[in-house]
Amino acid sequence: MKFRRSERLIDMTHYLVEHPQELVSLTFFAERYGSAKSSISEDLAIVKDTFEQRGIGTLQTVPGAAGGVKFISKIDQDSAKAFIAELCQLMEHSDRLLPGGYLYMTDMLGTPRIVNQVGKLLAAAFSEKKIDLIMTVATKGIPIAHAAANYLNVPVVIVRRDSKVTEGSTVSINYVSGSSKRIQTMVLSKRSIREGANVLIIDDFMKAGGTINGMINLLDEFNANLAGIGVLVESENADERLVDEYVSLVKLKDVDVKEKSIKVVEGNYFSTSIPFL
């Protein structure tokens, strides 16, 4: 079946977006559309320009006989700023205030548009790093981790507070919560992470960083490597931050329980080395 160019462009774009970080050969597209490789190269140049102009991402070309193109999900700085400003506005509603200075975010984490965009921003921050899988802790970090994993095309492993029979044999560690200073336990299946894997840690909220620090210690038990840390919200008023290098979208700057006011500002997203378009 011979495809018209407009049909090729639509189908090619859809395929690349559905297979991020996956190397696709020109031969694959040439056979798929019954077209010459020279025509496919011209089409890919159009797709690449459009992706970059619209803040969707870019196409990375890998030369050689075994080469091809790879879609890398990225974002432009203006779009990122606009979305983070929207997040700050949403989080500053006084009815989100919970005991302990936490924010109610369940409604946001249940909204596909918001979760997908949070995942896109966090994935874009680590798009140029070698990531083998994403780790998060149950439960509220799960939708964000899966959203980011969708853009990075990697699996997600979930750390739990107790073992499940369906997980098989597990590795467990004790860690000290950064905020409450209580000793807690986290558990992960032995089959979850291979030795030497590069792991991106994702979480919804970081106060002092005790939970994330616990996950870092858990990686040591698997002889795995920490590739980065991304969080949706960080708290500014942590007495002693246990984690130094991380990327946050927003920062919980001030909470006045008496006045029921919440102040949320940009996190450190724009002060880190994000590879924007």
Side-chain angles (χ1 to χ4, degrees):
M1 178 180 175
K2 187 73 175 179
F3 283 75
R4 291 177 302 189
R5 186 171 208 178
S6 58
E7 294 173 327
R8 287 202 313 262
L9 287 169
I10 292 171
D11 188 74
M12 186 182 295
T13 300
H14 179 263
Y15 187 91
L16 290 166
V17 170
E18 289 291 305
H19 299 80
Q21 298 281 351
E22 183 177 306
L23 186 63
V24 185
S25 68
L26 267 63
T27 300
F28 171 82
F29 282 136
E31 293 176 351
R32 184 180 178 94
Y33 308 124
S35 302
K37 288 186 179 179
S38 58
S39 298
I40 297 299
S41 295
E42 293 174 0
D43 292 345
L44 290 170
I46 294 172
V47 173
K48 182 177 187 294
D49 289 343
T50 304
F51 278 169
E52 293 177 354
Q53 289 172 13
R54 303 302 298 173
I56 297 170
T58 189
L59 291 185
Q60 183 183 89
T61 302
V62 179
V69 294
K70 185 186 295 185
F71 169 60
I72 310 295
S73 179
K74 293 190 178 185
I75 194 167
D76 63 277
Q77 191 165 353
D78 290 341
S79 297
K81 277 189 172 291
F83 177 70
I84 289 178
E86 180 187 353
L87 283 179
C88 292
Q89 187 176 17
L90 286 171
M91 291 181 181
E92 285 187 336
H93 290 294
S94 59
D95 57 0
R96 293 192 179 278
L97 187 58
L98 297 173
Y102 291 96
L103 298 183
Y104 177 79
M105 298 190 297
T106 303
D107 59 330
M108 296 173 59
L109 298 179
T111 303
R113 181 187 69 83
I114 294 176
V115 171
N116 287 338
Q117 193 68 2
V118 168
K120 180 178 177 66
L121 263 66
L122 291 176
F126 302 97
S127 61
E128 296 185 350
K129 291 193 174 185
K130 170 62 176 172
I131 306 292
D132 295 311
L133 58 89
I134 290 177
M135 172 190 279
T136 192
V137 65
T139 57
K140 292 182 180 178
I142 295 175
I144 300 173
H146 276 285
N150 185 55
Y151 288 102
L152 293 172
N153 199 14
V154 295
V156 174
V157 297
I158 301 170
V159 177
R160 302 188 183 278
R161 306 296 182 182
D162 51 15
S163 60
K164 304 289 183 182
V165 65
T166 53
E167 295 290 306
S169 56
T170 58
V171 174
S172 64
I173 65 165
N174 293 326
Y175 70 100
V176 179
S177 171
S179 54
S180 64
K181 304 298 183 183
R182 292 182 301 175
I183 296 178
Q184 299 185 18
T185 302
M186 57 175 56
V187 179
L188 187 62
S189 170
K190 284 185 176 180
R191 304 185 185 191
S192 297
I193 304 176
R194 64 171 174 78
E195 184 175 344
N198 299 306
V199 181
L200 172 62
I201 292 177
I202 296 288
D203 207 357
D204 64 313
F205 190 93
M206 181 177 71
K207 201 166 187 180
T211 301
I212 290 177
N213 195 49
M215 285 191 278
I216 294 173
N217 293 334
L218 192 57
L219 289 180
D220 292 338
E221 297 295 322
F222 287 84
N223 293 318
N225 307 311
L226 176 65
I229 300 168
V231 297
L232 171 56
V233 183
E234 66 164 307
S235 175
E236 184 177 65
N237 298 322
D239 295 332
E240 182 181 349
R241 185 79 74 199
L242 301 176
V243 178
D244 294 324
E245 296 185 12
Y246 59 90
V247 173
S248 66
L249 299 191
V250 301
K251 178 184 292 186
L252 181 59
K253 189 172 182 63
D254 184 59
V255 174
D256 190 323
V257 177
K258 185 176 179 180
E259 298 295 329
K260 293 185 178 181
S261 66
I262 303 170
K263 179 64 175 176
V264 182
V265 298
E266 288 180 356
N268 67 2
Y269 194 79
F270 301 105
S271 60
T272 54
S273 301
I274 305 296
F276 291 109
L277 286 172

